[in-house]
Each structure stands twice: as C-alpha cells, then as structure tokens.
DNA sequence: ATGCAAATTTGACTTTTGTCGAGAGCCGTG
DNA sequence: CACGGCTCTCGACAAAAGTCAAATTTGCAT
C-alpha cells in the first residue's frame, strides 16, 4: 500500500498538532487548508492510530487488592476496576480498562490470539486505534453461524482493524455434528496450520464463559439448555474459547468437546501472556477453574470479583492449615 | 512514594476523560469538582506522563530517502525530517522528531545512556513526558563545570525527569589536567562501576560534535581554539561523548583523550540501539566518521544532510568501481 | 465530452476547553 | 490565635476545537 497523498496530509497535520504543539489554525495555515479540514484530519489520525493517546493503567495495578490477588493466585499481573465508583455502567469500566491493558501489553511484531464473547467484543468495540507494525491477530476457535454481532471472526477482525494488524480467521465451524467430522477437519492443512500457529502467539485475549442457559453456546444453538445442564452435572465449570473445562481447568471429557474446533488448552498455556477479562460477577466459578488450569497470567476484573477471589483464597488457606 | 490523594484524583480524571471519552464537565460532576479543576488535572496528567500522546514516526522512515540512507550505510533505521517544509525553525523539527523516535525506542525496564550537547538538551527540552517503569538514565561522560545550561548532568537529569526514570549521574569532571589523574580517577570504584555499566545499556542517545572553534569543548574551556585546530590537523574528525574521534570513528591517540573520563567507544558499540541525532549541516564529516566507527545504528537527520550522505555514498561507489 | 455520485473542503455556528485572578482552606510560626 | 505564605479551587471569560450543511472538486462510467 503506497502512501496516498491524503495519508501524508493526515500525518503532517497530526505531526504539527501533536508533536509540535501548534494550534489547529496554525496547522491550517502551514498546510494551506481550512481549519475545519485540519480538525477532520486530526480525527482521522486518531482513528487510524497515527497518534496514540493512552492512559497509564498503573493505578489499577498499584491497588493493594490487586497485589493480594496476584500473590494469592500466582498471577503475573492483576488490574482491578473499582466498581463502586465513577461510572454509570460499571461493566463498561472493566472493558475500558481491559482495552487499555491490552494495548499496553501488545508489542510490535506480536502475534495475538483472540477468542470470542460479549466481553471480548465490547473490548474490541471501545478499544482505541493503534498503529502497530507486523502484528497478527489470530482467531482461537471456530466460528458460529449465528447472527450474533460478536461472532469469533468479528472479534478477531475488529481487533485487527483497530490495531492496523493482519487478521487471521478460522474458516471452520466451532462445533460439528459428529466427532469424526471434527477430527477430519482438524486434520485439514488449512485448519491444522492455524491450530498449530496458536502456540506461537505472544499474547492471548479471552474471557471465560459460564455453564448455564445464558451462555453464548446456548444462545448460538451450539448446545441446548438441557445439554448444558447435563454437562454441568458431569463437572463442566466454564467455557474457554468454545470448549468446556472442568473445575481443574482441564478439557472436560465429553462428546461436545470432541466435536469442537478450537485451540488446545496446551497451546493456550504455551502463550506467554494470557490476558483474561471477566466482567460478570456470576462467572466466579468459571474464573476459578480457568485460574486453576493455568489459563491466565494476566487478569482484569472488577472490585467485587476481586473480593470474592480473596475470600475464597483465604478460606482455602484456613482449610489447609 | 505512596500515592497521594491528589495523584489519585489526577489519575481518575485522566481515566474518565481519555479512556472513557467523557467531556470535562461530565468528569467534573462525576468527581464533584469544578470543570476548571478537571482541566488543570488533565494538564498535570499530561505533564506527568499518566497519559501519553504519541504520534507515529512511521512517515519519516517510510520516506524513500530514509531507506536509501539505511541501505547505503547499513543502518538499522533512519528518520529524515523534511527541512523544506512546514516549520519556521527547521532544527526544532529534527529535535521534535528525535524526541518522538526516542520515546518510541524506549521500553520499560531499559537502561539508557545519554551524552550531552545542545542537540541533546533541545531534545530533552521538547520531549513529552512518559511514565516508563524501571527505566534508568545513565550519563555517558564526565561533567563540565561551565555554566552552560546543557551540561552533561543536566541532559541526563532532564531526560530522566521526563521519563519518570532514575537518573544516574557521573560525579567526575569530563577532562582532567593530567593523564595520571584521569587514570586514577577511572580506577575509583564509583567511577569504574559507572563506566562498566554503560555497556549494559539498551539504548544510547547522543549527537556528534564538530572539531572547530564552535565546539562545546571549546566553549566550555576544555580545549582552546588553537588546541582544537592542532587536533584537527592530527586527524580529529568529530566529538562523541566528549572524546575526539578520527575519520574511522576510532578514538584519536592524543593527550586530551587520555585525560577524558567518558564511555569507551567499545562500550558504546555494545549498546544495542545507538540513536544518533544530528541537527547542523556542518556536522557532515563528524557524522561520517561516527557512522564509519559503527557508533550509530539509528539515525535522525534533516533532509539536506540525508542528501549529502547519499551523494557521498554514490561517489564512493563510483570510485570503487 | 458529459453527467452523476462520492468524496472532500469550506465557512458559519455551537460546544468544549484553557486560563486567570479572586477567594477559600490549610499549616507552621511568631 | 492571628498572621503571612502556600496551595488548591472556582467562576467567568476568551480561545480553541468540533460539527454540519452547502459548495466544490474528484473520479468514473457512460
């Protein structure tokens, strides 16, 4: 892609305005265009990631509670969004924080694995634009045909778009009707390569799903509420990248899982930075399972969830002693 | 340093404004303070590096000329500030670009070596603030007593301040009166450690000085114009971190150099990223020497200088064939 | 060439933001 | 406890930035 003259102009305007600190009208006269155009270019510059405005997430890690959670569960880093506070919609707060944290963790040249779900899509949606070079965003699991606005491929593509990165989609359904078909499909070169490439990621972004009738798996028709209930009784504790995990954070041995096309947990664990974001308080059990299974090294949660985690850890310690 | 309540407020305001995209009056009502205060907090947030506004320097590397210079001299990356263009003062343009490039190259946990000079101080002066963690800025050479506003320690400290980093100063004069004293001083544990630590840097920032009466070495009284002239006739081609180098980019064998307390060129070459910034067109020869000596991997120059470099490279190629 | 649609640019208007001096609160000191 | 000196905060005004519909240019297919 050659640099179009328009892009050049955007860049110059952004440079004069943000780097040199000129005012818009000064920029306008420098470039011989109207101030209104400058304003427009600047907006584009922000939307393209030519300029980057990021706020430090330091404060949220500095929190004592965050430190405690890190220690209690052996995580690399924890960010806690203060639910009590500021905003009308606290769940947005977590997503905004997650987006900032995510952008802070991404580096040039990285390969990033992205799962799917409402949480992830919300993050993608509010994430600001960046101009990373040589970044690849790969989809961690197969697709769902449902007319959901946050399909796996959508999440991947949207994040890739925001990062000015390359998006690598998974051209396979998440769930197949027979185990045999799933096995054959997994053996297909295209799919196999994609699956193999997951362990090479530097960063993964996912959430964890609950095992109930509200799950996306149910809403998308991959599983019926009754099946979900059965799985639950068989030990299902959460959903990671479309797969059912048990309380230890291992893949549950069930037909459904064998019919799924998704990243193997071992591949996920091979990823250096595993950023997990949990918005809903109801996902306490699933989160515990995911942590138990070593599926997360970096965690973004709300204050309430943090408290529950700490209570749980304290109780476990008491029991042990 | 505990988080003072004021800092907390600044952080919250910055968060709501920049991350959530609220307007200042909305932030004000959320935090129950006046909008004017919010505006003030936001300014502080920018000045502290809690929020980071950076513009991509992509465009300046994308330039065909920059690529040519990279190829011709085997450099890792070159940025060219278009002199013709926009700004009243073209030399500022180079400094602004250099500051952006520098901030782009710095990573958390880095150790950064900083030399001194008008160029470096200008860069420090216009550089925006950042909130890097665990960054150490070390001074590459001894100090000059002169009442210059851009003394080595000033450059180091100012850059450290902007980055919220730790500044490690050199408590020794740049030049001593006898070689013996210099040798003894270099053997002092404090100084020796500092010198030894230079090779561990991840990034160096310096310029190159010209060997003439305008040199800082002359202005600060380290050398007289006559001495400078003599050195020049002996093969002096440039000044790096207070040391005289010859046309091959090696330390010139002279009394002055033996009396200097500064980073050894070998230590500088051990630094992975060596960012050299040259503002003045008159520094063409010194720059060539520095490049020849492998003292720079990353280069920020003006368009005019770039042209001269390319012309030189072309001439050399012609001569060779 | 010609006409049409899409994109770009602009001037005029509105909203948002920056700034300044006045006043309020706070603290150590005499 | 009254006093200056200090910082922090606010209201009001000025400056700057955002927005929109109309005008212009551009690109493209006819």
């Amino acid at each position: 892609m050659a640099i179009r003259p328009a892009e050049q102009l955007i860049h110059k305007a952004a440079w004069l305005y943000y780097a040199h600190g000129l005012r818009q009208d000064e920029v306008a006269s420098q470039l011989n265009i109207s101030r209104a155009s400058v304003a427009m270019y600047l907006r584009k510059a922000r939307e393209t990631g030519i300029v980057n405005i990021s706020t430090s997430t330091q404060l949220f890690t500095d929190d004592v509670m965050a430190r405690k959670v890190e220690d209690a569960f052996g995580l690399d880093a924890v960010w806690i969004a203060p639910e009590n506070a500021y905003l009308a919609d606290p769940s947005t707060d977590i997503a905004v924080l997650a987006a900032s944290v995510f952008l802070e963790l991404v580096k040039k040249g990285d390969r990033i694995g992205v799962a799917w779900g409402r949480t992830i899509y919300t993050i993608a949606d509010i994430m600001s634009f960046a101009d990373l070079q040589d970044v690849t965003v790969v989809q961690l699991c197969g697709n769902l045909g449902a007319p959901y606005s946050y399909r796996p491929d959508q999440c991947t593509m949207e994040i890739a778009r925001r990062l000015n990165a390359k998006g690598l989609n998974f051209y396979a359904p998440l769930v197949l009707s027979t185990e045999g078909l799933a096995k054959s499909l997994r053996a297909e070169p295209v799919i196999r390569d994609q699956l193999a490439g997951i362990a090479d990621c530097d960063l993964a972004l996912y959430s964890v799903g609950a095992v109930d009738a509200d799950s996306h798996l149910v809403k998308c028709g991959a599983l019926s509420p009754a099946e979900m209930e059965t799985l639950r009784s068989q030990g299902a504790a959460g959903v990671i990248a479309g797969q059912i995990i048990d309380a230890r954070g291992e893949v549950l041995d069930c037909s459904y899982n064998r019919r799924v096309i998704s990243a193997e947990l071992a591949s996920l664990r091979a990823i250096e930075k595993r950023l997990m974001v949990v918005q809903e308080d109801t996902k306490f059990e699933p989160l515990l399972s995911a942590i138990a299974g070593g599926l997360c090294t970096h965690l973004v949660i709300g204050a309430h969830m943090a408290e529950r985690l700490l209570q749980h850890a304290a109780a476990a310690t008491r029991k042990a002693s």
Side-chain angles (χ1 to χ4, degrees), chain A:
Chain A
M1 172 178 68
I3 299 168
R4 288 173 299 126
E7 198 156 331
Q8 188 99 352
L9 254 187
I10 293 174
H11 216 300
K12 283 187 182 180
W15 186 250
L16 291 173
Y17 186 76
Y18 287 107
H20 281 274
L22 301 194
R23 273 177 293 130
Q24 291 192 353
D25 52 351
E26 294 180 300
V27 176
S29 64
Q30 282 278 347
L31 298 172
N32 279 99
I33 50 178
S34 77
R35 203 189 51 70
S37 296
V38 173
M40 195 210 63
Y41 285 148
L42 292 179
R43 181 159 34 74
K44 278 196 180 169
R46 284 185 300 260
E47 285 172 359
T48 328
I50 288 175
V51 315
N52 247 64
I53 302 184
S54 63
T55 66
S56 156
T57 59
Q58 195 57 32
L59 189 72
F60 302 97
T61 358
D62 275 357
D63 200 54
V64 266
M65 212 195 294
R67 279 285 150 74
K68 282 187 192 164
V69 176
E70 278 171 33
D71 291 348
F73 294 90
L75 301 174
D76 288 349
V78 175
W79 289 260
I80 297 178
E83 321 227 354
N84 54 351
Y86 347 128
L87 220 60
D89 180 5
S91 78
T92 309
D93 221 35
I94 296 177
V96 171
L97 176 56
S100 285
V101 167
F102 175 76
L103 286 170
E104 217 166 80
L105 291 176
V106 180
K107 289 204 303 288
K108 287 176 185 174
D110 271 3
R111 187 181 176 85
I112 301 159
V114 171
W116 112 110
R118 194 175 52 73
T119 304
I120 301 303
Y121 195 76
T122 311
I123 293 171
D125 202 44
I126 50 108
M127 181 157 62
S128 58
F129 293 78
D131 192 16
L132 281 315
Q133 288 143 45
D134 291 324
V135 166
T136 310
V137 181
V138 308
Q139 188 175 328
L140 289 177
C141 59
N143 277 306
L144 284 146
Y148 251 39
S149 67
Y150 36 92
R151 300 193 320 259
D153 57 331
Q154 303 248 33
C155 292
T156 310
M157 290 319 275
E158 184 58 23
I159 290 180
R161 193 173 74 85
R162 303 271 170 153
L163 262 39
N164 263 300
K166 207 167 53 171
L168 233 63
N169 281 114
F170 224 124
Y171 294 115
L174 175 63
V175 200
L176 297 161
S177 43
T178 72
E179 296 180 16
L181 184 51
K183 198 172 169 187
S184 321
L185 201 50
R186 272 195 289 263
E188 270 297 303
V190 201
I191 309 295
R192 204 183 49 209
D193 290 352
Q194 174 106 13
L195 285 171
I198 287 171
D200 293 334
C201 287
D202 304 283
L203 172 63
L205 172 66
Y206 44 57
S207 187
V208 60
V211 182
D212 56 31
D214 281 345
S215 164
H216 300 151
L217 294 181
V218 173
K219 285 193 180 145
C220 297
L223 284 168
S224 71
E227 286 173 312
M228 209 61 168
E229 200 44 54
T230 312
L231 283 169
R232 189 178 182 75
S233 69
Q234 287 169 11
V239 183
I240 296 267
Q243 294 163 95
I244 310 282
I245 58 168
D246 62 21
R248 297 163 320 170
E250 298 294 339
V251 175
L252 189 75
D253 184 31
C254 63
S255 159
Y256 168 81
N257 273 342
R258 285 188 292 269
R259 289 183 287 118
V260 161
I261 308 272
S262 180
E264 287 188 44
L265 297 192
S267 301
L268 294 180
R269 291 196 193 98
I271 299 173
E272 190 195 342
K273 289 172 282 187
R274 286 150 267 163
L275 176 60
M276 177 161 287
V277 183
V278 181
Q279 290 187 304
E280 297 89 348
D281 273 349
T282 54
K283 290 185 177 172
F284 176 64
E285 306 280 348
L287 173 56
L288 273 182
S289 312
I291 294 176
L295 293 166
C296 111
T297 57
H298 299 238
L299 180 64
V300 176
I301 49 176
H304 190 238
M305 178 68 90
E307 272 166 33
R308 288 186 65 181
L309 282 177
L310 286 176
Q311 275 171 25
H312 175 88
T317 310
R318 264 199 307 282
K319 211 160 103 185
S321 67

